[in-house]
Amino acid sequence: MGRQLRLGGKITLKRVFGAIFAAFVLIQAYFVGQVLWYSHAPVTESAYMQSEKERLGKISYRHVPLNKIATAMVRAAVAAEDFDFAKHNGIDWQATYTAFISNVLEGESAPGGSTISQQTVKNLFLTQRKSYLRKAEEIFLTMVMEATWSKGRIIETYLNIAEFGEGIFGVEAAARHYFGKTALKLTAWESAWLAAILSNPKYYEKRGTTPWIRKRMSIIMQTVQNYEIRRLNNRMP
């Protein structure tokens, strides 16, 4: 009788774990389908935008194509968030490894080394809750995105769903909110300011141009300038 109970328990556990695994696979298949769908379909709302809309009641959002965003804004965002965006395959493995060592093995809090591609995946599809499972999903879906999306599509989506303040999503809504103009007309200074506050938009929306923001802007603008100099030099015979 005892042996039968143990066997029955083992079978039940196998079924439970099998059901959990099957559910996990189905969820990932759903997300992969979403990544493939949005490689061409217009993005009208992200998972994070939806959660903030439920919390706040409404949000400010206006989607614009990449050619309606100032080049200065695109360059500033890349300089601030992911300088090697155009070169990597979506994952900064060194930064991810460093963060893992700090967070898990040394017990210290460290940035996750998320690229623009990873941030796009997280905001578009996943929750903001931090966990190793969510991070694994983020890395997997980022690799799918990088294999099926163009870099232009990724940066366009990122700039359209990024948070720039309380209920302010996308660079068009941010440009109108902070500067009373469209994203296409943003200056280099305005672009650097918006890129600088991406690290903590709700905080800096209230505090404006702090000393830290001014320092951050200086670094962003210098990074963009250095990139332009190298790009022009590489064209010279």
Side-chain angles (χ1 to χ4, degrees), residues 34-44 63 149 153 156-157:
Q34 290 286 293
V35 172
L36 297 177
W37 170 256
Y38 283 119
S39 64
H40 297 290
V43 176
T44 57
H63 183 277
W149 291 33
R153 178 66 170 168
E156 175 186 281
T157 303

Side-chain angles (χ1 to χ4, degrees), residues 75-76 78-81 83 192-193 195-196 211-227:
R75 291 174 178 167
V78 171
E81 297 292 297
F83 183 72
W193 190 88
W212 186 90
I213 284 292
R214 282 194 290 270
K215 182 178 180 180
R216 180 71 171 151
M217 289 174 63
S218 177
I219 293 171
I220 291 169
M221 295 176 79
Q222 188 62 52
T223 300
V224 172
Q225 184 180 10
N226 289 342
Y227 170 78

Side-chain angles (χ1 to χ4, degrees), residues 50-205:
Q50 185 176 22
S51 68
E52 284 295 276
K53 184 186 291 184
E54 292 172 358
R55 183 178 71 87
L56 299 171
K58 65 177 182 177
I59 61 172
S60 178
Y61 172 67
R62 192 182 301 223
H63 183 277
V64 288
L66 189 59
N67 62 8
K68 295 296 183 181
I69 301 173
T71 301
M73 183 66 232
V74 177
R75 291 174 178 167
V78 171
E81 297 292 297
D82 184 5
F83 183 72
D84 291 323
F85 170 70
K87 299 177 182 178
H88 62 58
N89 64 352
I91 311 296
D92 184 339
W93 293 109
Q94 182 60 48
T96 300
Y97 173 75
T98 301
F100 176 80
I101 295 297
S102 297
N103 293 333
V104 177
L105 301 185
E106 298 177 2
E108 299 177 357
S109 179
S114 292
T115 63
I116 282 177
S117 302
Q118 286 176 267
Q119 292 179 56
T120 302
V121 163
K122 180 184 70 175
N123 291 333
L124 187 56
F125 303 113
L126 306 176
T127 68
Q128 300 300 302
R129 180 176 54 85
K130 294 183 178 180
S131 72
Y132 295 113
L133 176 60
R134 199 227 67 193
K135 194 67 177 180
E137 286 182 311
E138 177 187 301
I139 289 173
F140 169 66
L141 293 174
T142 296
M143 290 190 291
V144 176
M145 175 179 283
E146 283 279 340
T148 55
W149 291 33
S150 68
K151 288 289 187 179
R153 178 66 170 168
I154 294 172
I155 192 66
E156 175 186 281
T157 303
Y158 171 76
L159 287 172
N160 271 290
I161 66 175
E163 183 182 41
F164 288 91
E166 186 80 12
I168 303 169
F169 287 92
V171 67
E172 181 71 13
R176 291 172 184 268
H177 176 79
Y178 292 110
F179 303 114
K181 60 174 63 176
T182 66
L184 184 61
K185 295 183 179 180
L186 288 169
T187 66
W189 188 95
E190 292 163 347
S191 297
W193 190 88
L194 288 175
I197 71 167
L198 282 169
S199 60
N200 197 343
K202 292 175 182 175
Y203 178 88
Y204 291 110
E205 178 193 7

